[in-house]
Amino acid sequence: GQSLEQPSEVTAVEGAIVQINCTYQTSGFYGLSWYQQHDGGAPTFLSYNALDGLEETGRFSSFLSRSDSYGYLLLQELQMKDSASYFCAVREGGSARQLTFGSGTQLTVLP
Amino acid sequence: DGGITQSPKYLFRKEGQNVTLSCEQNLNHDAMYWYRQDPGQGLRLIYYSQIVNDFQKGDIAEGYSVSREKKESFPLTVTSAQKNPTAFYLCASSISGSKTTDTQYFGPGTRLTVL
């Protein structure tokens, strides 16, 4: 079977940097995605890593190490609006069904 | 504007009743998905469709049914056979279902409460 582990909660202050880790165990692996979901809202896509290394998109960066089955999302210069849940999701194959989501990390940004 | 719409935003039903959740997209995407989200949980796949007139069961399909008669529409029926239907239901779409780089775009969700 497949499983993804990420911390349930993270708290940080405005302007800080926070890292949300995700470890996975899957039968196949094509890539790791990150989604953001504000309370009661729709998840929105943040990033996708298929290869090892760091992908940077503005204040957000995502890292993948395939050999360690590990990735993280790095949020810099935290703002209050970054308070949300963050989900990692593993793409296990080419068919539509093979996207498995983690349970999510609730990030709270304090003033 | 292109996007995915779900209606209604909040839905209440009595036990034993079937209810249908609407999902429409005008992104010209081939693939569409239904997920269920429970408090503090991740998204679990109910059904997905990669093309019109075809759909496949996800991980938790029991008690649910879908149809895909049009590319734009993928309604989900929660039947009385679903033991614990109270949840947040999210519809999503992607350009295709076959590319590993496909991004899924989500609708605003329907919060179903069974009274």
Side-chain angles (χ1 to χ4, degrees):
Chain A
Q2 60 269 22
S3 68
L4 290 86
E5 289 192 15
Q6 50 180 130
S8 58
E9 296 178 345
V10 173
T11 302
V13 296
E14 263 190 304
I17 299 172
V18 72
Q19 179 175 311
I20 300 174
N21 299 321
C22 176
T23 58
Y24 58 87
Q25 287 186 320
T26 58
S27 55
F29 180 84
Y30 282 79
L32 184 71
S33 299
W34 288 92
Y35 285 79
Q36 178 193 60
Q37 184 183 31
H38 286 97
D39 195 30
T44 56
F45 173 79
L46 292 176
S47 67
Y48 176 73
N49 294 67
L51 303 175
D52 285 358
L54 192 69
E55 295 278 346
E56 298 182 63
T57 309
R59 294 187 297 114
F60 293 1
S61 302
S62 58
F63 173 82
L64 175 66
S65 169
R66 296 172 68 116
S67 59
D68 295 323
S69 298
Y70 163 76
Y72 66 72
L73 180 69
L74 190 73
L75 297 86
Q76 303 181 73
E77 301 173 19
L78 280 176
Q79 302 175 8
M80 298 295 288
K81 67 178 181 180
D82 297 331
S83 291
S85 290
Y86 293 84
F87 295 88
C88 58
V90 167
R91 169 75 70 179
E92 295 183 68
S95 76
R97 67 167 298 155
Q98 291 176 308
L99 185 64
T100 302
F101 286 82
S103 298
T105 298
Q106 177 66 49
L107 171 64
T108 301
V109 180
L110 303 174
Chain B
D1 283 3
I4 304 176
T5 56
Q6 292 185 242
S7 60
K9 188 171 179 63
Y10 298 95
L11 187 59
F12 298 88
R13 81 151 213 222
K14 295 180 180 179
E15 276 192 51
Q17 289 182 337
N18 292 358
V19 62
T20 297
L21 282 58
S22 168
C23 178
E24 304 277 333
Q25 55 97 0
N26 60 5
L27 300 167
N28 200 32
H29 285 174
D30 283 322
M32 297 187 74
Y33 315 78
W34 274 105
Y35 291 92
R36 170 182 172 137
Q37 186 176 33
D38 293 283
Q41 302 292 316
L43 282 65
R44 292 185 291 168
L45 184 65
I46 304 173
Y47 268 98
Y48 68 100
S49 168
Q50 291 188 256
I51 197 168
V52 174
N53 292 322
D54 184 56
F55 49 83
Q56 305 295 329
K57 292 182 179 180
D59 299 319
I60 56 166
E62 185 175 351
Y64 300 97
S65 65
V66 293
S67 63
R68 185 87 187 276
E69 297 177 1
K70 299 186 301 182
K71 188 175 186 178
E72 301 81 17
S73 179
F74 192 40
L76 174 74
T77 296
V78 184
T79 74
S80 56
Q82 169 48 234
K83 300 300 181 190
N84 186 19
T86 295
F88 188 44
Y89 290 88
L90 287 158
C91 179
S93 70
S94 62
I95 293 175
S96 77
S98 59
K99 294 182 180 178
T100 57
T101 54
D102 279 346
T103 296
Q104 292 190 13
Y105 297 87
F106 286 83
T110 292
R111 194 167 298 279
L112 173 64
T113 302
V114 174
L115 305 173

